[in-house]
Amino acid sequence: MAVNPQQEFIWQGRIHLGDEPGIYGDAHYTGICAEFPITIYRSDPSNTDDKPFKLVLETEDLNTYNGYPGHTITVIIYEPDPNQQFHSVERVIVQGRFTSVDNNRKEIEVKPGTVKGPFSITVRLRVDTSVNPGLYDDFIWSRLSLISPNYTYYASFGFISP
């Protein structure tokens, strides 16, 4: 599969999610959930329109049972708390599901709002726990990227200090 020429790499590795530690000996086991911090920048900070970008999650061996909702993807933005200096408030800006139908690659569209930026978000991938314990899907999260038409946005892995 060719990579989109406007797709920006954010993170690559081998994170094992699921309920059976040790299945993937070459991956770090995180359990039921993994969440990555990202800082998003606007290429032109004066342009604060609400154009979307896409986050691309890539996995290996992700399989879900028919009739179950799939693994949850949650994107959270961290905004300054207007009531307390040096505090922030979490706000979910998008949720989606990752299933076998996605063939180990899921694009999630994110509309960050009209904040000037840079802004801090996290991307959380959580195993589908509607299945009985012991039957959870074990898989590898292997890559996270950003797609932004005309490079309106770019990203860095981790948060920056305000």
Side-chain angles (χ1 to χ4, degrees):
M1 171 187 335
V3 175
N4 181 321
Q6 291 186 326
Q7 183 169 328
E8 177 189 0
F9 164 78
I10 298 173
W11 169 87
Q12 182 171 321
R14 292 184 60 77
I15 302 293
H16 170 191
L17 286 94
D19 64 350
E20 295 184 54
I23 290 178
Y24 301 99
D26 63 335
H28 296 284
Y29 178 70
T30 62
I32 304 301
C33 181
E35 187 169 5
F36 292 148
I38 302 167
T39 302
I40 303 289
Y41 303 87
R42 293 181 186 274
S43 296
D44 177 3
S46 67
N47 182 1
T48 58
D49 59 15
D50 195 20
K51 287 185 180 174
F53 59 86
K54 291 182 181 177
L55 292 171
V56 182
L57 290 79
E58 295 180 57
T59 61
E60 298 171 20
D61 299 331
L62 185 143
N63 293 296
T64 53
Y65 296 114
N66 287 334
Y68 289 87
H71 308 296
T72 305
I73 300 168
T74 306
V75 180
I76 300 167
I77 191 165
Y78 295 80
E79 300 168 319
D81 185 336
N83 301 316
Q84 293 186 51
Q85 188 176 17
F86 306 118
H87 287 78
S88 65
V89 177
E90 293 183 2
R91 182 171 58 91
V92 173
I93 54 176
V94 68
Q95 281 195 309
R97 293 288 183 162
F98 206 157
T99 67
S100 297
V101 175
D102 297 309
N103 294 314
N104 288 301
R105 186 176 192 279
K106 182 73 173 185
E107 293 184 8
I108 297 290
E109 185 173 88
V110 178
K111 293 182 88 176
T114 57
V115 176
K116 181 180 174 182
F119 43 93
S120 302
I121 66 170
T122 57
V123 180
R124 178 187 307 150
L125 181 54
R126 187 171 194 276
V127 171
D128 181 352
T129 57
S130 65
V131 178
N132 287 334
L135 299 176
Y136 294 169
D137 184 25
D138 283 87
F139 61 94
I140 298 291
W141 186 358
S142 57
R143 188 176 174 103
L144 179 64
S145 303
L146 177 136
I147 296 175
S148 177
N150 302 315
Y151 299 102
T152 304
Y153 301 95
Y154 63 97
S156 66
F157 190 58
F159 290 152
I160 61 161
S161 298

